[in-house]
Amino acid sequence: MAGLCIGIAGAGLLGRLLAWRLARGGHRVTVFDPAAGPAPSFDGTGAAGFTAAGMLSPLAELDNATPALAAQGWRAIGLWQAVAQALDAPALMRRRGSLMLAHRGDLGAAQRVLARLETAPAGFPTPQALAPAALAELEPALQAANAWLLPQEGQIDTVATLEQLHRQVRGVGWRWGTRVADVSPGRLTLEGGEALAFDLAIDVRGAGARPALPVRGVRGETVWLRLAGHGLTRPVRLLHPRHRVYLVPRSADLLILGASEVESEDRSPVSLKSAVELMSAAHSVMPALAEARIERLDRNLRPALPDNEPRTELGDGLLRLNGLFRHGWLLAPALVEEALARAALVPALEAAA
Ligand SMILES: Cc1cc2nc3c(=O)[nH]c(=O)nc-3n(C[C@H](O)[C@H](O)[C@H](O)COP(=O)(O)OP(=O)(O)OC[C@H]3O[C@@H](n4cnc5c(N)ncnc54)[C@H](O)[C@@H]3O)c2cc1C
């Protein structure tokens, strides 16, 4: 089915990925978003997709997700590779595995997480324990008594990917500064009352989709650290009894440190408590960070449904996708491909090997 007129509410992660896939499939697409333009504002408003660190960790996320979601995430990594190739920007993502670290006194907390990882679906690689010398060889910038390599996990440059998905799509109309008040079958109603008719209306407003969905925002905070020649080449997760902390090398001199998880829709600036906890935990495994410069403190809301699981609702003239919570980047291409296949809107994207 090609040539449909499709309206999308939300130009975040899902909105841009859907617009790109549907426009390439020959549909006429218009996207609506209250943001002033396509670039990130880094002020707590706009798409959570820009704030995300970009870990693609189906195995490590088994600590917070079901084996079925992990399997979807595993498939999605190959789909991201295919998207990056189609965008002619393979450097948007990397797949060198990730590391889990634990300090000597935190081995109990680490063993609880490792037990969760044993619920991985068949075919998943298993965590490989690394002695301190092996860790020093793999990532000389790190130090920890206990380390595990999770082979084939990945990472994606979230900001650059959202920019490319917007820049490289042809024939999509972007209506910035436009809030959608309601999404119903074949119709988007804008704030102010104007109602627009479409063959298909898509609701991907993330945390802004209430009251259509019982979605809530879960606050997350990140720190951008600038350190020339930091040397880290893969994402690192610190297994700590109180904090969930990870470091993602975005470029040769930039690291994204995240992330707090607070049951609150507060979009105000990053708290001292979160900043101190994140930075001291990161410094404890990467001493060179003492000289890093704090370039940005960012925060946003992860869109979550009551069961913390993603949800796809597909009916005549209406598609809603939401609840991607802390796994949005991990899951998005798999969820999008599944929804588009069910709606028979575009030919399937083949995952890269
Ligand atoms: C701190 C942090 C770290 C994260 N780290 C990771 C990670 O490492 N790995 C991972 O997989 N995931 C991560 N995530 C999760 C991921 O970013 C989200 O799951 C994902 O962005 C959700 O995508 P979405 O398109 O549903 O929502 P969003 O990306 O938030 O996009 C929603 C869009 O809808 C727009 N909108 C809102 N209301 C309206 C309206 N009324 N009308 C029109 N448009 C509207 C918004 O402006 C926005 O552009 C992280 C999130 C946060 C906050």
Side-chain angles (χ1 to χ4, degrees):
M1 208 185 328
L4 295 187
C5 181
I6 298 176
I8 301 181
L13 168 56
L14 287 171
R16 292 179 194 220
L17 191 55
L18 279 159
W20 180 76
R21 287 287 285 125
L22 290 165
R24 277 166 55 98
H27 300 287
R28 284 168 289 132
V29 181
T30 311
V31 187
F32 302 80
D33 198 290
S41 54
F42 298 122
D43 63 356
T45 69
F50 282 117
T51 303
M55 301 268 285
L56 303 177
S57 315
L59 191 53
E61 282 290 312
L62 275 168
D63 189 24
N64 316 284
T66 60
L69 276 191
Q72 229 170 3
W74 200 253
R75 191 170 100 75
I77 297 186
L79 289 168
W80 272 129
Q81 284 176 300
V83 171
Q85 280 164 16
L87 290 168
D88 203 17
L92 288 176
M93 69 161 294
R94 271 182 281 168
R95 198 170 183 182
R96 297 171 50 85
S98 76
L99 287 164
M100 295 196 315
L101 306 183
H103 291 306
R104 200 172 308 279
D106 298 335
L107 193 55
Q111 274 161 347
R112 187 196 62 76
V113 174
L114 287 166
R116 293 271 305 160
L117 269 45
E118 283 171 13
T119 63
F124 266 54
T126 46
Q128 296 170 5
L130 298 176
L135 175 65
E137 198 172 315
L138 204 62
E139 295 285 358
L142 298 176
Q143 62 172 39
N146 305 285
W148 297 265
L149 174 67
L150 308 186
Q152 296 175 51
E153 291 207 326
Q155 66 176 96
I156 189 160
D157 185 331
T158 60
V159 174
T161 302
L162 290 175
E163 285 171 351
Q164 292 283 352
L165 286 171
H166 170 261
R167 193 176 310 137
Q168 291 205 26
V169 74
R170 296 275 171 273
V172 170
W174 300 92
R175 297 272 302 269
W176 301 110
T178 309
R179 188 175 296 276
V180 177
D182 185 54
V183 185
S184 56
R187 182 182 297 261
L188 298 188
T189 306
L190 308 186
E191 194 177 50
E194 187 186 356
L196 303 170
F198 296 93
D199 299 315
L200 176 66
I202 301 184
D203 185 355
V204 279
R205 290 174 292 170
R210 274 198 310 259
L213 288 170
V215 66
R216 70 187 196 283
V218 179
R219 177 178 165 91
E221 297 151 292
T222 59
V223 184
W224 290 40
L225 297 170
R226 186 71 64 180
L227 179 63
H230 59 70
L232 191 66
T233 66
R234 37 175 81 73
V236 183
R237 196 177 286 252
L238 177 60
L239 303 178
H240 188 278
R242 285 187 307 283
H243 318 304
R244 287 178 173 159
V245 181
Y246 51 77
L247 257 176
V248 181
R250 184 155 287 178
S251 69
D253 65 352
L254 179 65
L255 300 134
I256 312 297
L257 167 62
S260 61
E261 192 175 313
V262 186
E263 279 292 345
S264 161
E265 296 200 339
D266 178 359
R267 291 182 184 269
S268 67
V270 173
S271 72
L272 176 139
K273 178 173 183 286
S274 295
V276 167
E277 285 177 357
L278 289 172
M279 288 191 271
S280 64
H283 176 245
S284 74
V285 290
M286 190 167 166
L289 286 179
E291 284 308 317
R293 296 299 182 255
I294 302 166
E295 183 164 297
R296 170 173 292 136
L297 296 163
D298 194 19
R299 71 286 184 192
N300 215 308
L301 301 183
R302 306 173 179 94
L305 289 164
D307 59 2
N308 289 342
E309 296 260 338
R311 186 185 300 178
T312 303
E313 291 180 4
L314 179 63
D316 244 8
L318 179 65
L319 169 63
R320 290 189 211 277
L321 261 173
N322 210 315
L324 272 59
F325 190 35
R326 28 180 306 130
H327 325 291
W329 279 93
L330 175 63
L331 298 175
L335 293 170
V336 162
E337 289 310 307
E338 281 157 22
L340 295 180
R342 272 172 63 191
L345 286 168
V346 290
L349 183 73
E350 292 301 324

